Amino acid sequence: MIKNSIITLRVVKIFNLKNVISIKDFQKKDIEFILNEAENLEKVAKSEEKSEELSGKILGMMFFEPSTRTHLSFESAMKRLGGSCVGFVGTEASSVSKGETLADTSKMFESYSDALVIRHNLEGAAKFISNIVDVPIINAGDGAGQHPTQTLLDLYTIRRNFDKIKGLNVALVGDLKYGRTVHSLAYALGLFDVEMSFVSPNELKMPKETLHDLKKNNVKFYQTNNLKEVIDNVDVLYVTRIQKERFPDEEEYSKIKGAYCINKSLINGKDLIVMHPLPRIDEISTDVDNTKYNKYFEQAFYGVPVRMAILKNIIKNK
Ligand code: NCD
C-alpha cells in the first residue's frame, strides 16, 4: 500500500542527441519529436508569432560548398528564434583559402559560436569535427554522404501533405549514387513502413551499402530505371538533380544528364505530389510549377520551422 501519495514526476528528456551528423543516429521517436516541434514553430517561422528562445546565442556556419536554401533557412531559423549567425559560404573570403586546416577552422568557430553547421565536399567531415570541438555539430551535407536536416524537412513536407508517413508509396528518382539527400531519406523512410522505389539510370543506383542496410532492417524497396513502371502507384515523387560536381569524369555526366524529366503531361490526372530538394536543373519542367503537384517550393519553406526545431533542441541541450 502506498502510504504517502507523493507523485514523482520523472522528467524525460525526449530529444537527447548532441549532434546531427547522420540520420542513422535518429530513432523514429527522435524524428517524430522534431516534426512535432516544427509544427509548433510554424507560426514563428512565418513571423506570425515572436520568439526569443535563442536570444544571445550564435550559430556558426561553415559552408565549404555552395548553398542557397540550407544556408538561408538555417540563418532565418536562428534569427526567428532571436539568435544570430556568423560564418561563410565559399572559402574565398576565409583563411581556408590560405591553407588553414579544417580542424583549425573548426576550433576558431567553436570559440565564436554555440553550435556549428558544416557543409563540406568530404564525406565524414561533420563527424570528424565533432570529435575535435565541443559545441554541437550539424551536418548540412558531407560530400555524397548524408544530409540529415534535409531529410527531416522532407519528412515534414510529406506528413504535412498526407497527415501521415506510414503506408505511403515513395519513389526516389534521379542520382541515387551521389545524392546525399536520398541517402539520408531512404534510411529515414525505412523507419516508417513505407513502400519505396528507387528509380535511376543503371550507373547511378543507390549505393550497395545502403541497400544492404535497408535489407538488414527488413525494409522493402524496388529498383528500376524506368519511371513509367512505378509512376501510377506513387504518392510521392521525390526527384533529384544529377550531381555533376561529384562525377570523376565530365564525359560520364554528359551521357547521363537529362535522364529524367518530370513534366505536366507525365503526371496529369495522377494522385501524387512532386518534391525536390532543389536546385533543379532540367529534371522538373517549369510547367509543373503552377499545378497542384508542385510541393517543392513549400518544401523549401519548411526548412525554416524544421531547422528551428533542431536548433532549439540542440542548443538548449548543451
Ligand atoms: C541538396 C544538396 O546540397 O545536397 N540541396 C539542398 O541542400 N537543398 C541537393 C542538391 O544539391 O542537388
Side-chain angles (χ1 to χ4, degrees):
M1 204 180 123
I2 301 167
K3 284 188 183 157
N4 300 314
S5 56
I6 299 170
I7 300 164
T8 321
L9 281 177
R10 210 155 48 94
V11 180
V12 185
K13 213 172 166 195
I14 306 173
F15 187 82
N16 53 16
L17 290 176
K18 180 190 172 196
N19 302 307
V20 179
I21 307 281
S22 165
I23 204 73
K24 294 190 224 173
D25 300 332
F26 281 69
Q27 293 176 21
K28 192 174 169 187
K29 70 169 175 56
D30 300 319
I31 293 178
E32 280 169 343
F33 177 81
I34 291 294
L35 303 192
N36 292 341
E37 282 273 274
E39 215 163 284
N40 294 332
L41 288 163
E42 248 196 54
K43 283 211 164 105
V44 184
K46 289 180 182 150
S47 195
E48 289 165 12
E49 274 175 18
K50 275 202 158 304
S51 167
E52 289 298 328
E53 239 172 306
L54 292 182
S55 165
K57 300 287 184 187
I58 296 177
L59 180 65
M61 293 205 275
M62 310 196 300
F63 279 72
F64 292 81
E65 283 193 331
S67 175
T68 300
R69 276 148 293 271
T70 306
H71 177 257
L72 291 178
S73 61
F74 263 117
E75 183 168 347
S76 179
M78 193 62 190
K79 290 181 173 171
R80 294 277 195 221
L81 289 171
S84 53
C85 307
V86 293
F88 59 78
V89 180
T91 53
E92 300 76 20
S94 88
S95 282
V96 175
S97 64
K98 297 182 189 170
E100 187 166 57
T101 63
L102 175 58
D104 281 2
T105 306
S106 309
K107 282 187 192 133
M108 295 308 102
F109 268 81
E110 177 184 27
S111 54
Y112 303 142
S113 48
D114 299 290
L116 198 40
V117 180
I118 176 174
R119 169 172 286 188
H120 202 280
N121 57 313
L122 286 179
E123 222 171 301
K127 177 82 191 148
F128 168 73
I129 67 166
S130 73
N131 290 325
I132 50 179
V133 302
D134 267 341
V135 290
I137 303 296
I138 302 172
N139 180 7
D142 59 332
Q146 286 259 329
H147 195 348
T149 65
Q150 176 71 41
T151 289
L152 292 166
L153 76 91
D154 294 341
L155 295 174
Y156 186 75
T157 308
I158 295 174
R159 203 178 79 167
R160 226 29 194 74
N161 277 278
F162 294 92
D163 275 334
K164 63 172 186 178
I165 300 173
K166 190 177 167 169
L168 294 175
N169 192 319
V170 183
L172 307 185
V173 183
D175 187 346
L176 308 186
K177 177 177 181 182
Y178 296 119
R180 53 196 174 200
T181 65
V182 282
H183 296 163
S184 298
L185 187 55
Y187 279 106
L189 287 171
L191 300 173
F192 285 87
D193 202 12
V194 300
E195 284 188 41
M196 269 190 280
S197 346
F198 300 147
V199 185
S200 71
N202 290 338
E203 298 84 346
L204 298 178
K205 281 186 175 164
M206 191 63 90
K208 286 206 168 70
E209 189 201 332
T210 309
L211 299 179
H212 171 83
D213 290 346
L214 294 175
K215 275 188 199 149
K216 207 172 69 188
N217 296 334
N218 292 320
V219 177
K220 282 190 224 96
F221 56 84
Y222 176 71
Q223 289 193 91
T224 178
N225 56 19
N226 185 0
L227 181 58
K228 293 215 165 106
E229 263 184 41
V230 299
I231 199 161
D232 286 329
N233 293 320
V234 299
D235 300 300
V236 180
L237 206 53
Y238 188 96
V239 188
T240 62
R241 172 179 73 90
I242 310 274
Q243 309 279 298
K244 181 180 181 191
E245 67 276 31
R246 312 250 179 257
F247 279 67
D249 181 349
E250 178 125 18
E251 223 173 276
E252 287 305 307
Y253 168 73
S254 342
K255 280 191 223 155
I256 293 173
K257 72 173 183 197
Y260 299 99
C261 181
I262 311 302
N263 57 31
K264 198 172 160 182
S265 69
L266 182 75
I267 52 178
N268 231 353
K270 302 202 193 307
D271 196 13
L272 54 82
I273 65 169
V274 179
M275 292 174 59
H276 192 306
L278 302 177
R280 76 172 144 187
I281 308 303
D282 50 12
E283 38 321 310
I284 301 178
S285 161
T286 51
D287 70 3
V288 180
D289 293 1
N290 293 322
T291 68
K292 64 173 183 177
Y293 300 106
N294 168 8
K295 297 294 171 190
Y296 31 94
F297 295 139
E298 176 184 321
Q299 181 185 357
F301 162 70
Y302 290 143
V304 181
V306 169
R307 290 182 168 120
M308 287 169 82
I310 295 164
L311 291 171
K312 188 183 137 183
N313 285 284
I314 287 282
I315 294 178
K316 290 267 156 120
N317 277 344
K318 257 199 340 159

